[in-house]
Amino acid sequence: MFRALVARRVAVNVPVTDPYEYRIHIEHVLLFLALFTIPLEYFVSIGRGEMIYEEGITFDRVLWYLLLAVCIWKSLWLKDSRLIRLTFSRSVPLLILAFILCMAVSALVVRYPSSTITTIMTYMIHFLRYLLVVYVCRDRRILRLCIIGFVTNIVFHVGGGFYEIVSGKPALGEIIKQSGPWGNLLTVKGQFRIQGLTSNPNYLATDLILQLGLLLYLLFTVRLPKWRIALAALLLLTIVLIFATATRAASVIAVFGFMIFIIVAPVRRKRFVFAFMASFTFLCLIILSLLKPELLFLDRFLNKEGGGVSANEIGKGARANMLRISLKMGIEHPFLGVGIKQYGSQQRYFRNLDSSWLPAGDIRPHNVYAGTFAEMGVPGLTVLLLLHLAVAVQIIACFRSAPDQEARLLAAGLLVSFLGYMMCCNFYPTTFRKHGWLVMAFAGALAEVLRKEHRLQQIDTASEPMRAGVHVAKKSIGS
């Protein structure tokens, strides 16, 4: 009886590994595919008989819908309330919900609120993606697998980007039958900026910035030499693509992000790694500018002018005026703003400026924070700043509490990606795209994994004296 009682107490206090978490399940495969095929979001599987943009049932949406169905079914079957607990017991999900609520409230001042429903639904889907990533990535192995899928989808952008560099034609021009930015790559004097499998060079640069830190994490944690060489080549191609987008802010952010990772992360031979990457990237850019002078990145960095007013001057003037108009909108409508997605239709009432410097139509302000202030007022801006601050603090906390080198490298990569994303938010309208929300989800998943490991370690430490007591009891009984 004594032995049975001791065995029962040991079984209660000693953590037992759940074999369910260490097998690959269908939700893991679906999440990996959904992350790996992100650049294929423009490909429509069911439409109106032709390849069109953002209509029909896309391959990307099918994967996420299937993943949602599987996770809901498993949570009901296993009576697992983790999806609900993740939503209401953590600060970041609550701030995301608060941001969506501010968005919905700002729609009350819109003349036609139905026009904002699509935007609100987009952010609701981002929130669901966040929850699904954190829910599925319950241990480091699955989290690493999903990060591999997220990072290696750069291969699609590399293929599309270098096709544009060689041919001078848009990678999506022959696929998406729609006029607009996919029609050609020309900007000024026959020069162009690559956009890969996105609709805009700025979007491509921001997406690559968000993947840069995680790519560095994989590069310094992979063990096989052939995979390390492949990841190093992918990293170099990624940096070249960022420069080829001729996006000055993203190019500077990429350089500083790489420096921050080398300084912060526990990496050996830091000076050698930085010198090698800097010199090799510089050599690639020189060769690219000589072989393909049509690329606009060299003229953009040298601030050269085209015919008449330079493209650089137009870009800087338009951004400055959009910033002034956004601030004026927010100051005059501090509580609810002018309404979500109403900047483009309302800017003509706040101009009092040279209209030739302002793009027309349904546009977004190029500064996310100023645009949020204009469309959602002080409450929306406050919640967005708190959200970004909470994610940054979460990543820093993960870095400080990381129990080993791999966890610190992952936290350093997430920090580089997210800080780069916050900087890009000052120059491009990127919050409506999914990449930033996925990086936030990886940060939340890492926090949950480390919290779980710490809790299990505490239980295991607390059970050590009991194991010693059991051993002594066995010896006494045996004697």
Side-chain angles (χ1 to χ4, degrees):
M1 182 175 179
F2 176 77
R3 291 183 180 180
L5 179 62
V6 170
R8 183 178 178 183
R9 292 189 64 183
V10 171
V12 171
N13 288 279
V14 176
V16 179
T17 302
D18 185 4
Y20 173 84
E21 295 185 1
Y22 292 89
R23 295 198 302 264
I24 298 296
H25 293 270
I26 185 171
E27 63 267 28
H28 304 150
V29 176
L30 288 173
L31 181 56
F32 175 85
L33 291 176
L35 295 169
F36 179 68
T37 58
I38 284 177
L40 304 182
E41 61 184 337
Y42 293 92
F43 290 80
V44 176
S45 57
I46 302 175
R48 297 182 306 209
E50 61 181 359
M51 302 299 282
I52 50 180
Y53 169 61
E54 282 189 347
E55 293 184 28
I57 302 177
T58 66
F59 186 63
D60 172 75
R61 293 173 185 171
V62 167
L63 290 172
W64 285 104
Y65 292 154
L66 286 175
L67 178 62
L68 177 62
V70 169
C71 289
I72 291 176
W73 178 80
K74 287 213 167 184
S75 63
L76 294 175
W77 177 260
L78 300 174
K79 296 181 180 180
D80 183 10
S81 61
R82 192 163 179 261
L83 273 175
I84 299 176
R85 286 187 282 109
L86 286 173
T87 305
F88 299 104
S89 63
R90 298 290 181 261
S91 59
V92 173
L94 286 175
L95 286 171
I96 297 175
L97 285 176
F99 183 70
I100 296 174
L101 178 61
C102 291
M103 192 178 300
V105 171
S106 72
L108 297 176
V109 300
V110 178
R111 185 173 183 181
Y112 302 104
S114 59
S115 62
T116 65
I117 293 178
T118 302
T119 302
I120 296 174
M121 289 302 299
T122 298
Y123 285 88
M124 286 297 298
I125 293 173
H126 290 329
F127 178 62
L128 283 175
R129 288 193 181 100
Y130 177 93
L131 290 179
L132 290 174
V133 171
V134 179
Y135 178 77
V136 173
C137 298
R138 300 191 181 204
D139 61 77
R140 288 202 205 182
R141 187 175 58 92
I142 300 302
L143 177 58
R144 182 181 174 86
L145 177 67
C146 294
I147 289 175
I148 290 173
F150 180 71
V151 168
T152 52
N153 69 49
I154 298 177
V155 174
F156 294 108
H157 287 308
V158 168
F162 278 90
Y163 169 79
E164 291 176 344
I165 291 174
V166 173
S167 66
K169 299 177 182 179
L172 293 177
E174 300 299 324
I175 298 175
I176 298 178
K177 306 299 182 182
Q178 180 175 337
S179 61
W182 306 279
N184 57 70
L185 294 175
L186 298 180
T187 55
V188 58
K189 294 199 314 181
Q191 294 174 308
F192 61 87
R193 305 165 61 187
I194 70 165
Q195 57 195 26
L197 298 182
T198 66
S199 60
N200 190 292
N202 297 332
Y203 299 161
L204 175 60
T206 306
D207 294 350
L208 294 176
I209 288 292
L210 280 161
Q211 294 169 309
L212 181 64
L214 297 175
L215 180 55
L216 287 167
Y217 151 71
L218 292 178
L219 175 63
F220 287 101
T221 55
V222 72
R223 298 187 180 183
L224 292 178
K226 60 180 181 180
W227 289 115
R228 181 165 290 184
I229 293 173
L231 288 172
L234 187 61
L235 176 62
L236 292 171
L237 293 175
T238 300
I239 296 176
V240 171
L241 280 183
I242 292 174
F243 277 89
T245 60
T247 307
R248 289 167 292 191
S251 302
V252 174
I253 291 169
V255 173
F256 278 97
F258 184 77
M259 292 174 60
I260 291 172
F261 183 88
I262 296 299
I263 293 171
V264 173
V267 178
R268 293 179 297 178
R269 300 178 181 178
K270 296 184 177 185
R271 294 182 180 179
F272 170 76
V273 172
F274 180 75
F276 172 76
M277 294 295 296
S279 58
F280 198 88
T281 303
F282 182 74
L283 179 62
C284 290
L285 292 175
I286 293 297
I287 295 174
L288 192 62
S289 62
L290 293 175
L291 296 179
K292 205 69 179 178
E294 300 94 318
L295 283 171
L296 192 58
F297 74 91
L298 192 59
D299 285 359
R300 293 262 292 179
F301 281 98
L302 297 177
N303 205 32
K304 290 186 178 181
E305 296 189 357
V309 181
S310 70
N312 294 327
E313 190 178 352
I314 292 175
K316 289 185 290 186
R319 278 195 171 95
N321 281 349
M322 282 193 288
L323 178 60
R324 293 171 192 162
I325 292 175
S326 299
L327 295 177
K328 191 174 182 181
M329 285 181 179
I331 292 172
E332 294 189 13
H333 300 82
F335 298 108
L336 297 178
V338 297
I340 189 66
K341 207 178 177 182
Q342 298 300 306
Y343 175 87
S345 60
Q346 295 292 321
Q347 65 169 343
R348 65 179 183 272
Y349 302 117
F350 295 86
R351 277 183 175 175
N352 297 325
L353 299 164
D354 184 4
S355 60
S356 64
W357 294 94
L358 289 170
D362 184 18
I363 61 171
R364 298 179 176 92
H366 278 228
N367 187 303
V368 168
Y369 303 108
T372 303
F373 180 51
E375 295 187 338
M376 300 168 61
V378 174
L381 176 61
T382 303
V383 173
L384 181 62
L385 290 174
L386 288 176
L387 173 60
H388 286 178
L389 178 62
V391 175
V393 170
Q394 186 181 60
I395 297 173
I396 294 173
C398 290
F399 182 82
R400 297 184 63 181
S401 64
D404 50 54
Q405 182 177 357
E406 182 183 356
R408 284 193 293 272
L409 283 168
L410 177 53
L414 287 169
L415 183 64
V416 167
S417 293
F418 190 70
L419 290 180
Y421 174 68
M422 290 178 64
M423 292 302 298
C424 288
C425 284
N426 290 281
F427 302 98
Y428 324 117
T430 57
T431 52
F432 71 97
R433 294 180 62 79
K434 63 173 71 71
H435 289 72
W437 300 92
L438 290 173
V439 169
M440 287 193 283
F442 289 140
L446 177 62
E448 291 293 322
V449 168
L450 293 181
R451 190 178 292 113
K452 175 183 174 182
E453 290 180 354
H454 180 66
R455 184 169 61 252
L456 291 177
Q457 184 179 9
Q458 285 182 330
I459 296 173
D460 190 60
T461 303
S463 65
E464 284 296 330
M466 180 162 294
R467 290 197 186 100
V470 171
H471 181 68
V472 172
K474 284 182 178 180
K475 288 182 66 176
S476 62
I477 293 173
S479 62

